[in-house]
Coordinates of all heavy atoms in Angstrom, one line a residue:
V3 N 3.6 -22.4 12.1 CA 3.0 -23.6 11.5 C 1.6 -23.7 12.0 O 1.4 -23.8 13.2 CB 3.8 -24.8 11.8 CG1 3.2 -26.1 11.1 CG2 5.3 -24.7 11.5
V4 N 0.6 -23.6 11.1 CA -0.8 -23.7 11.5 C -1.3 -25.1 11.0 O -1.3 -25.3 9.8 CB -1.6 -22.6 10.9 CG1 -3.1 -22.7 11.3 CG2 -1.1 -21.2 11.4
K7 N -7.6 -29.3 10.4 CA -8.1 -30.6 10.2 C -8.0 -31.2 8.8 O -7.5 -32.3 8.6 CB -9.6 -30.6 10.6 CG -10.2 -31.9 11.0 CD -11.6 -31.8 11.6 CE -12.6 -32.4 10.7 NZ -13.5 -31.6 10.0
G16 N -6.2 -19.9 4.6 CA -5.3 -19.2 3.7 C -6.0 -18.1 3.0 O -5.4 -17.0 2.8
I19 N -6.3 -14.9 5.0 CA -5.0 -14.1 5.1 C -5.0 -13.2 3.9 O -4.7 -12.0 4.0 CB -3.8 -15.0 5.1 CG1 -3.8 -15.9 6.3 CG2 -2.5 -14.2 5.0 CD1 -2.6 -16.9 6.4
S25 N -7.8 -6.1 2.2 CA -8.6 -5.1 2.9 C -7.7 -4.0 3.4 O -8.0 -2.8 3.4 CB -9.4 -5.7 4.1 OG -10.1 -6.8 3.7
R26 N -6.6 -4.4 4.0 CA -5.6 -3.5 4.5 C -5.0 -2.6 3.4 O -4.7 -1.5 3.6 CB -4.5 -4.2 5.3 CG -4.6 -4.3 6.8 CD -3.3 -4.7 7.4 NE -2.6 -5.8 6.8 CZ -2.8 -7.1 7.1 NH1 -3.6 -7.4 8.0 NH2 -2.1 -8.0 6.4
K45 N -11.1 -20.7 -4.9 CA -12.6 -20.8 -4.9 C -13.1 -19.9 -3.8 O -14.1 -19.2 -3.9 CB -13.0 -22.2 -4.7 CG -12.9 -23.1 -5.9 CD -14.0 -24.2 -5.9 CE -13.9 -25.0 -7.2 NZ -12.9 -26.1 -7.1
F64 N 1.8 -11.5 -9.5 CA 2.9 -12.1 -10.3 C 2.8 -13.6 -9.9 O 2.9 -14.0 -8.8 CB 4.2 -11.6 -9.8 CG 4.5 -10.2 -10.3 CD1 4.1 -9.1 -9.6 CD2 5.1 -10.0 -11.5 CE1 4.3 -7.8 -10.0 CE2 5.3 -8.7 -12.0 CZ 4.9 -7.6 -11.2
E68 N 6.1 -20.7 -14.9 CA 5.4 -21.1 -16.2 C 6.3 -22.2 -16.9 O 7.5 -22.2 -16.8 CB 5.2 -19.9 -17.1 CG 4.5 -20.1 -18.4 CD 3.1 -20.7 -18.3 OE1 3.0 -22.0 -18.0 OE2 2.1 -20.0 -18.5
N73 N 2.5 -21.7 -24.9 CA 2.0 -20.4 -25.1 C 0.8 -20.2 -24.1 O 0.2 -21.2 -23.6 CB 1.7 -20.0 -26.5 CG 0.5 -20.8 -27.1 OD1 -0.5 -20.8 -26.5 ND2 0.8 -21.4 -28.2
H76 N -2.4 -22.3 -24.2 CA -2.3 -23.8 -24.1 C -3.0 -24.2 -22.8 O -2.7 -23.6 -21.7 CB -0.8 -24.2 -24.0 CG -0.7 -25.7 -24.2 ND1 -1.0 -26.6 -23.2 CD2 -0.2 -26.4 -25.2 CE1 -0.7 -27.8 -23.5 NE2 -0.2 -27.7 -24.8
T99 N -2.0 -8.6 -14.2 CA -1.6 -10.0 -13.8 C -0.5 -10.5 -14.6 O -0.5 -10.4 -15.8 CB -2.8 -11.0 -13.9 OG1 -3.1 -11.2 -15.3 CG2 -4.1 -10.5 -13.2
L115 N 13.5 -9.3 -17.2 CA 12.4 -8.3 -17.3 C 11.3 -8.6 -16.2 O 10.7 -7.7 -15.6 CB 11.7 -8.3 -18.6 CG 12.6 -7.7 -19.8 CD1 11.8 -7.9 -21.1 CD2 12.8 -6.3 -19.5
G124 N 6.9 -2.3 -6.8 CA 7.2 -2.1 -5.4 C 7.4 -3.4 -4.6 O 7.4 -3.4 -3.4
D127 N 3.8 -8.2 -1.9 CA 3.4 -8.0 -0.5 C 3.2 -9.4 0.1 O 3.5 -9.5 1.3 CB 2.0 -7.2 -0.5 CG 2.2 -5.8 -0.9 OD1 3.1 -5.1 -0.2 OD2 1.6 -5.3 -1.8
I128 N 2.6 -10.3 -0.6 CA 2.3 -11.6 0.0 C 2.4 -12.7 -1.1 O 1.8 -12.5 -2.1 CB 0.9 -11.5 0.7 CG1 0.7 -12.9 1.4 CG2 -0.2 -11.2 -0.2 CD1 -0.5 -12.8 2.4
T158 N 12.9 -31.8 -12.5 CA 13.4 -33.1 -12.2 C 12.5 -34.2 -12.7 O 11.3 -33.9 -12.9 CB 13.6 -33.3 -10.6 OG1 12.3 -33.1 -10.1 CG2 14.5 -32.3 -10.0
D172 N -0.4 -38.5 -25.1 CA 0.4 -38.1 -26.2 C 0.7 -36.6 -26.3 O 1.3 -36.1 -27.3 CB -0.3 -38.5 -27.5 CG -0.5 -40.0 -27.6 OD1 0.4 -40.8 -27.1 OD2 -1.6 -40.5 -28.0
Y174 N 2.5 -33.1 -25.5 CA 3.9 -32.6 -25.2 C 3.9 -32.0 -23.8 O 3.2 -31.2 -23.4 CB 4.3 -31.5 -26.2 CG 5.5 -30.7 -25.8 CD1 6.7 -31.3 -25.7 CD2 5.3 -29.4 -25.5 CE1 7.8 -30.6 -25.3 CE2 6.4 -28.6 -25.2 CZ 7.7 -29.2 -25.1 OH 8.8 -28.5 -24.7
Q175 N 4.8 -32.6 -23.0 CA 5.0 -32.0 -21.6 C 6.4 -31.4 -21.5 O 7.4 -32.1 -21.5 CB 4.8 -33.2 -20.6 CG 4.9 -32.7 -19.1 CD 4.8 -33.8 -18.1 OE1 4.7 -35.0 -18.4 NE2 5.0 -33.4 -16.8
I206 N 7.3 -31.4 4.2 CA 7.0 -30.4 5.3 C 7.9 -30.6 6.4 O 8.4 -29.6 7.0 CB 5.5 -30.5 5.7 CG1 4.6 -30.0 4.6 CG2 5.2 -29.8 7.0 CD1 4.8 -28.5 4.3
P219 N 14.5 -27.0 -1.2 CA 14.4 -25.6 -1.5 C 13.5 -24.8 -0.5 O 13.8 -23.7 -0.1 CB 13.9 -25.5 -2.9 CG 14.4 -26.8 -3.5 CD 14.3 -27.8 -2.4
A220 N 12.4 -25.5 -0.1 CA 11.5 -24.8 0.8 C 12.1 -24.5 2.2 O 11.6 -23.7 2.9 CB 10.2 -25.6 1.0
A237 N -0.4 -33.6 6.2 CA 0.8 -33.1 5.8 C 1.7 -32.8 7.1 O 3.0 -32.8 7.0 CB 0.6 -31.8 5.1

Side-chain angles (χ1 to χ4, degrees):
V3 182
V4 178
K7 201 170 115 252
I19 298 176
S25 312
R26 260 196 316 268
K45 283 208 179 88
F64 288 89
E68 178 59 284
N73 67 53
H76 191 290
T99 67
L115 290 175
D127 289 304
I128 184 165
T158 60
D172 298 322
Y174 164 66
Q175 184 184 356
I206 289 299

